[in-house]
Amino acid sequence: MKQRLIVQMGMGIGDTVAQAAERAVTDAQARARLHIAADVEIRVTLGVPGSAELDTSGLNRAFGAADVDLKVVPGGMTVPQPGGTEVLVVSAAIEVFPLA
């Protein structure tokens, strides 16, 4: 069993799932600072409202050259707005594990 070094949560709000997901990852990263000289595995789990489709390919760039295991699960929420629009809320969890 791997020992987790850090887990950090973030939340993003947007007009689209992609916008909310990017903001959630940025929010979690702002709190997840780990200063070590070691190779690590990064796992990101995104809670996305309903059955929304999310292209995750652009989210990996937020981690630079790191190899990221990104998973999308049901979660987050949709908040109705006046005029029939809605705001999407996505949650993100970043986990960091040392490599062997």
Side-chain angles (χ1 to χ4, degrees):
M1 177 180 223
K2 292 184 180 182
Q3 180 176 350
R4 183 173 47 218
L5 296 175
I6 190 171
V7 61
Q8 188 58 58
M9 304 296 291
M11 179 184 74
I13 300 168
D15 296 326
T16 66
V17 174
Q19 182 183 55
E22 188 170 328
R23 290 176 176 171
V25 168
T26 300
D27 185 45
Q29 279 184 311
R31 295 183 194 86
R33 297 291 180 227
L34 188 62
H35 302 283
I36 60 169
D39 292 328
V40 296
E41 174 187 345
I42 300 171
R43 295 181 194 167
V44 178
T45 304
L46 296 171
V48 177
S51 60
E53 293 291 321
L54 176 62
D55 178 12
T56 60
S57 60
L59 293 173
N60 286 342
R61 73 177 181 276
F63 295 93
D67 186 23
V68 178
D69 177 22
L70 201 135
K71 179 171 58 169
V72 177
V73 298
M77 70 173 65
T78 303
V79 181
Q81 299 295 303
T85 62
E86 54 191 26
V87 173
L88 300 166
V89 180
V90 171
S91 58
I94 298 174
E95 299 174 277
V96 178
F97 298 86
L99 292 176

